[in-house]
Amino acid sequence: MKPIPNDEDRLWEQHLFREEPDADFTLEVMRKLEGVSMESAEHGDPFTKKASKSHWMRRTGIAAAAVVILAGGAWFAFDHTAKSTQSTVNAVNQRLPDIPVPEELKYSYFADDYKRLKPLGLVVNPNINIEDQGYTLKIENVLVDRSQIVMTVQQTMPDGSELSRLVSVMGRIHVTDKEGREVATLARDTRTKGYVTERLVFQLHDEIPDQVVVRGELSHLNMGYYNFETKSYEDKEVTVDWSFQFNIDMTKAKSLAVEAPMNNTYTTPEGLKLDLTQLVRTPNGTRLDMNISLNDQLQAKVDENWANYMSIIYHLEIPETNEYRIFNGFRPDAREAKFRLHDESGIRDGGPLKLSETWDPAFVTVDAKSIRFVLDGYTIPVKEEKSVEVDLDKRRKDTKFYTFVEFEQLGDKILFDDFDYKPVPESSNLQMSNVNKGYSLVLNGTGTYRNAFVGDRWVAVDSEGTEYPVEVVGYPDQPNSNGEYVADKLKMVIRGFYKEDGTKFTLKRTVVNREYRDVNWEVDLPSYTSLPWQK
């Protein structure tokens, strides 16, 4: 099955599951699209399915349904008008308290998190304020629940400007018990893009003591900068004493949570095993824990770094609020879980890849009793070698956009119509032994992808057998009508290849981050009798 495009996901939600249509209208649309045996929401489950069409919507129909809505606007408008006198459905019926938010959180994604946790006493202020040589470190308003601890680390330089990139801090702040044993693992806030790491998310382990210790071992600041005169990146390290320690009482956070162990397992036809192990509900989100492992046959096919790029594609169904939420892996502009733990530490010992997805209450109702998890697919880098012969002399200078290289593999199509030579940055982290380090050949063109596009591996080989590392530059845009992601300005940089190396070479893709859709699995996640934070 082709990927479920993100724009169709948004269209589906806007017209069917969000604030405008009322409940009866929404269910009527679903009945017409899926063949649902519909009952009144007051008397039965509106998602009771007829067997013959039970998977039409989930497996094949989202894109088609969006097309129906676009093409059938008159029908849509007619039904909506006919029922416009009835009340609307709020997909997420949660009203946040109107309370002041600290400056360091006010203009971030964490403002809503603060509003959820502060009234419950789940915001801790350790009052860390350290100044050394004019460099200041502040830690205030730590967000705490049973699932995560989120710290905002404020740093200022002697001139008062902010130092917001804390890459050097990663791994030097620890969350432990009193004996020094780690009780949390560094996770990621997917809403913060790039390398800005002033807000650190620690996901707590299964066993949490009543008192945890947060300890920072900060003594070196990397103040690297770009020197415009020398046109190079220069390192500057500053030594400071920013060491700190504070305790967090976890008793309230633990009491205001619901944990439900799970034992649901599915193995895909290719041999990927997915284990759902736990569902954790907190006032600030719902977390699903899972383990991923490969059987011997699939392990032999995948790249050794498969876990770095592997992602799952799934959606959630919540009948009581008519929510339908697609989480589309690492696709461009796709919805992601708010917090994500991607723990590969156990793989080297033969263990599984540990994944956790924490959904934002803004998108997945935090007190939903019935949540259905539906696996739609996954991506994983596999060794699938294919090559194409490149002859630069075939480029026609008298015709613009003349394709002289065409590469197709597993539904992906890449075309190149131009090339140029560019200087190689000295800071390039690609290995270029035995190749020209002065310039690189840059192929320009377009790419149309059915598979994932992050995690592929390319290499170029000249007529003498010398290999050149290849870097792909360019990011696909929104999907087209066929569910394919298109990169209109794709560049393939052949590192170290210059004019004296000739005009002919072999371009090979050796690893493809393949997308698989041949799955058939859905799970009703654990419900609850009561939520402690609502009492």
Side-chain angles (χ1 to χ4, degrees):
M1 178 184 169
K2 67 183 181 183
I4 300 176
N6 179 260
D7 58 348
E8 293 175 349
D9 171 12
R10 295 289 190 269
L11 182 64
W12 181 257
E13 287 184 341
Q14 177 183 354
H15 287 293
L16 297 186
F17 294 97
R18 303 236 20 209
E19 298 180 13
E20 293 183 354
D22 61 88
D24 291 341
F25 166 70
T26 299
L27 297 175
E28 178 66 14
V29 170
M30 293 187 63
R31 184 188 66 80
K32 291 181 178 180
L33 292 178
E34 190 187 9
V36 177
S37 177
M38 187 182 68
E39 299 180 32
S40 167
E42 297 179 358
H43 298 94
D45 180 5
F47 277 75
T48 303
K49 300 182 288 290
K50 292 182 180 178
S52 62
K53 298 184 179 180
S54 62
H55 287 79
W56 182 85
M57 182 180 70
R58 296 190 193 118
R59 304 292 178 218
T60 64
I62 302 302
V67 173
V68 168
I69 292 171
L70 286 172
W75 168 81
F76 182 92
F78 175 80
D79 272 22
H80 194 186
T81 302
K83 297 179 180 294
S84 61
T85 58
Q86 299 187 20
S87 60
T88 60
V89 171
N90 292 319
V92 181
N93 186 20
Q94 184 183 41
R95 191 177 186 89
L96 295 176
D98 185 13
I99 59 176
V101 178
E103 283 296 319
E104 71 269 20
L105 300 176
K106 183 179 295 183
Y107 304 107
S108 72
Y109 291 105
F110 293 96
D112 285 353
D113 295 359
Y114 179 88
K115 291 181 178 181
R116 293 186 190 100
L117 297 176
K118 179 64 175 178
L120 298 171
L122 297 180
V123 176
V124 176
N125 188 351
N127 289 314
I128 301 297
N129 190 337
I130 305 172
E131 181 180 348
D132 185 18
Q133 304 176 63
Y135 294 90
T136 303
L137 170 73
K138 288 185 179 181
I139 302 177
E140 303 171 310
N141 299 302
V142 178
L143 308 180
V144 180
D145 64 21
R146 160 62 186 87
S147 189
Q148 283 93 14
I149 294 175
V150 180
M151 289 194 308
T152 298
V153 184
Q154 303 174 75
Q155 320 119 91
T156 54
M157 294 188 289
D159 62 2
S161 60
E162 292 185 359
L163 175 63
S164 61
R165 297 182 182 271
L166 263 183
V167 176
S168 59
V169 167
M170 307 291 277
R172 291 194 281 137
I173 296 180
H174 309 274
V175 181
T176 71
D177 61 15
K178 291 181 178 180
E179 286 71 38
R181 292 182 291 261
E182 300 277 352
V183 297
T185 302
L186 196 63
R188 186 170 74 92
D189 169 37
T190 65
R191 303 167 300 180
T192 301
K193 304 302 180 184
Y195 296 99
V196 179
T197 56
E198 69 270 22
R199 293 187 180 91
L200 303 179
V201 180
F202 293 90
Q203 179 166 305
L204 292 155
H205 298 168
D206 292 344
E207 299 296 328
I208 308 173
D210 290 341
Q211 299 289 324
V212 302
V213 180
V214 180
R215 186 182 73 256
E217 302 167 347
L218 309 183
S219 58
H220 299 281
L221 299 179
N222 186 348
M223 309 291 291
Y225 65 98
Y226 185 79
N227 190 322
F228 288 94
E229 293 183 0
T230 62
K231 296 183 179 180
S232 63
Y233 186 86
E234 298 182 9
D235 287 328
K236 178 185 177 182
E237 193 170 88
V238 176
T239 301
V240 296
D241 183 6
W242 273 4
S243 298
F244 66 87
Q245 179 173 311
F246 62 90
N247 294 350
I248 298 178
D249 187 334
M250 294 297 301
T251 54
K252 176 170 280 190
K254 290 163 64 175
S255 67
L256 297 180
V258 175
E259 303 172 58
M262 299 180 63
N263 186 21
N264 300 84
T265 300
Y266 173 71
T267 302
T268 71
E270 288 79 25
L272 181 142
K273 182 181 178 183
L274 179 62
D275 293 311
L276 303 186
T277 60
Q278 181 177 225
L279 189 74
V280 180
R281 297 177 186 264
T282 76
N284 201 33
T286 304
R287 187 183 98 199
L288 179 64
D289 297 339
M290 61 193 85
N291 293 335
I292 294 177
S293 55
L294 312 180
N295 66 14
D296 292 342
Q297 290 75 20
L298 183 56
Q299 187 74 57
K301 296 178 181 178
V302 301
D303 178 62
E304 61 182 1
N305 297 318
W306 65 269
N308 290 337
Y309 302 100
M310 186 272 163
S311 69
I312 63 170
I313 303 169
Y314 64 93
H315 73 263
L316 304 176
E317 299 173 1
I318 305 179
E320 62 197 273
T321 51
N322 296 320
E323 293 171 58
Y324 190 101
R325 304 298 190 218
I326 296 173
F327 293 84
N328 232 356
F330 298 149
R331 294 298 193 182
D333 299 321
R335 179 185 297 114
E336 297 182 75
K338 176 168 69 172
F339 300 136
R340 173 179 291 133
L341 175 69
H342 187 101
D343 184 2
E344 302 176 24
S345 61
I347 293 181
R348 56 179 171 267
D349 297 324
L353 168 66
K354 293 182 178 295
L355 295 181
S356 293
E357 303 261 299
T358 300
W359 307 308
D360 194 331
F363 295 110
V364 178
T365 299
V366 73
D367 58 353
K369 278 188 172 293
S370 175
I371 303 177
R372 183 175 298 134
F373 171 93
V374 183
L375 182 65
D376 293 316
Y378 60 97
T379 63
I380 190 169
V382 296
K383 292 175 282 191
E384 295 269 4
E385 184 174 305
K386 188 172 183 180
S387 62
V388 62
E389 300 301 317
V390 178
D391 185 350
L392 301 179
D393 288 336
K394 287 188 176 182
R395 183 189 66 170
R396 290 178 54 179
K397 298 181 180 180
D398 60 331
T399 304
K400 195 174 184 180
F401 306 127
Y402 176 80
T403 298
F404 68 96
V405 179
E406 183 172 337
F407 179 91
E408 293 188 49
Q409 185 182 17
L410 300 171
D412 299 339
K413 187 173 184 179
I414 298 172
L415 307 175
F416 292 112
D417 53 53
D418 199 2
F419 69 87
D420 199 357
Y421 295 96
K422 299 291 184 181
V424 177
E426 290 295 328
S427 60
S428 174
N429 60 2
L430 289 173
Q431 298 298 318
M432 296 188 296
S433 58
N434 301 322
V435 299
N436 188 318
K437 292 188 178 182
Y439 285 83
S440 291
L441 171 67
V442 181
L443 303 177
N444 300 303
T446 62
T448 303
Y449 295 87
R450 284 191 172 275
N451 297 288
F453 26 78
V454 177
D456 292 353
R457 187 174 300 170
W458 296 79
V459 66
V461 184
D462 66 15
S463 57
E464 302 297 324
T466 303
E467 291 192 353
Y468 301 80
V470 177
E471 179 182 0
V472 180
V473 181
Y475 209 62
D477 203 344
Q478 292 290 335
N480 60 23
S481 58
N482 294 323
E484 301 164 326
Y485 284 78
V486 180
D488 288 325
K489 296 181 180 180
L490 183 69
K491 296 181 183 294
M492 200 161 285
V493 183
I494 317 300
R495 294 287 184 182
F497 191 96
Y498 197 48
K499 296 177 182 178
E500 61 263 27
D501 296 306
T503 60
K504 296 181 180 180
F505 59 89
T506 302
L507 183 63
K508 296 192 296 185
R509 181 162 72 169
T510 61
V511 173
V512 182
N513 197 5
R514 288 198 62 177
E515 179 173 299
Y516 291 97
R517 290 279 181 168
D518 56 339
V519 297
N520 183 15
W521 192 47
E522 59 185 62
V523 175
D524 289 325
L525 302 182
S527 188
Y528 60 90
T529 55
S530 64
L531 293 174
W533 65 85
Q534 292 182 340
K535 294 180 180 178

